[in-house]
Amino acid sequence: MSSGGITWIADEDISWLGYCIKLARGLTGEELTARLAATGGPVPVEATTGPRAEELIDELDAERGDGASIAVRYGDHAGLGFAVAYGHWPSVLGPAYHDGTSRNGAHVFELYYEKQNAKVPPPAFAYFHDDSYVCGFDMYMNTWSQEITGPGADLVRVDIVAAGIPEEKERDTAHRASLAVLEQRFELALPRDLILDASLPTALVRGQQPR
């Protein structure tokens, strides 16, 4: 398991819901966070660990009597800006969330796994460039879609087939193999130790009204 790429994501619990991760080439983590924010822009809060980010969301929502806040922890690593979502991100920041995040020539890669969804959807990947969808696929295909979508599907098709992902019956194995393909094909990386253990810059991107 690599700690410097993205394959490790399959073996860790980034948040209790699963994970919603954006990686960007051509944007810093701060710039990516600004593009993910709703009208009004991101609102910086205290630097947080993952567990603390989830606690902060719960505290803010309890005080305001709602349940719509989303925070991202963000930074830069290996030439990529990254943003990792916490709070009420399912169906809001993914799957295949677009909304201009890749405008002006940026490359944005979305990794999304709604692990607690009762329908148990597969983890998913989507790639956007210059305000357009390039390609995407389910990272577990055996009982879900085996279609690789988008005009750039051929960027990953050969590697996915070669890795045996369409026929793989074990979800975790297919998930891990898919991340390995993406890690190599697009040179994607996320700093495992920082994501799991460190405090990182954090901002609200939905429900942007701190205490």
Side-chain angles (χ1 to χ4, degrees):
M1 179 178 66
S2 170
S3 63
I6 60 170
T7 307
W8 65 267
I9 294 169
D11 300 298
E12 300 289 351
D13 291 322
I14 290 179
S15 79
W16 76 273
L17 282 170
Y19 62 74
C20 178
I21 299 166
K22 315 288 183 177
L23 300 167
R25 185 166 286 118
L27 296 173
T28 66
E30 185 173 12
E31 290 168 338
L32 175 60
T33 296
R35 292 190 180 192
L36 292 172
T39 302
V43 173
V45 293
E46 65 188 69
T48 65
T49 61
R52 177 55 189 149
E54 293 186 322
E55 288 177 358
L56 180 63
I57 290 290
D58 289 343
E59 291 169 5
L60 292 173
D61 285 353
E63 289 180 6
R64 294 200 300 263
D66 60 28
S69 297
I70 302 171
V72 297
R73 297 168 66 228
Y74 62 90
D76 303 281
H77 176 72
L80 297 162
F82 66 83
V84 181
Y86 298 84
H88 305 279
W89 49 262
S91 300
V92 179
L93 293 186
Y97 175 80
H98 181 36
D99 203 20
T101 53
S102 67
R103 65 184 180 272
N104 300 329
H107 299 261
V108 174
F109 307 90
E110 175 188 279
L111 305 170
Y112 185 90
Y113 191 15
E114 203 173 319
K115 199 172 183 179
Q116 297 302 318
N117 188 317
K119 296 180 180 179
V120 198
F125 165 76
Y127 167 34
F128 304 92
H129 172 55
D130 205 18
D131 215 22
S132 297
Y133 176 62
V134 179
C135 65
F137 67 98
D138 289 340
M139 292 192 278
Y140 169 60
M141 294 179 165
N142 187 252
T143 57
W144 289 77
S145 172
Q146 295 195 10
E147 184 180 5
I148 304 166
T149 61
D154 286 345
L155 287 171
V156 293
R157 191 187 312 280
V158 171
D159 293 335
I160 289 170
V161 172
I165 294 164
E167 297 80 26
E168 178 54 59
K169 295 181 179 180
E170 294 296 326
R171 173 181 289 246
D172 290 347
T173 302
H175 185 189
R176 196 175 298 109
S178 296
L179 289 171
V181 164
L182 297 170
E183 175 181 318
Q184 189 163 37
R185 180 64 185 83
F186 296 111
E187 298 182 342
L188 300 182
L190 190 68
R192 179 180 182 275
D193 292 345
L194 291 182
I195 299 302
L196 297 181
D197 301 321
S199 291
L200 289 170
T202 306
L204 295 168
V205 295
R206 295 293 188 281
Q208 298 117 300
Q209 296 176 9
R211 290 196 290 273

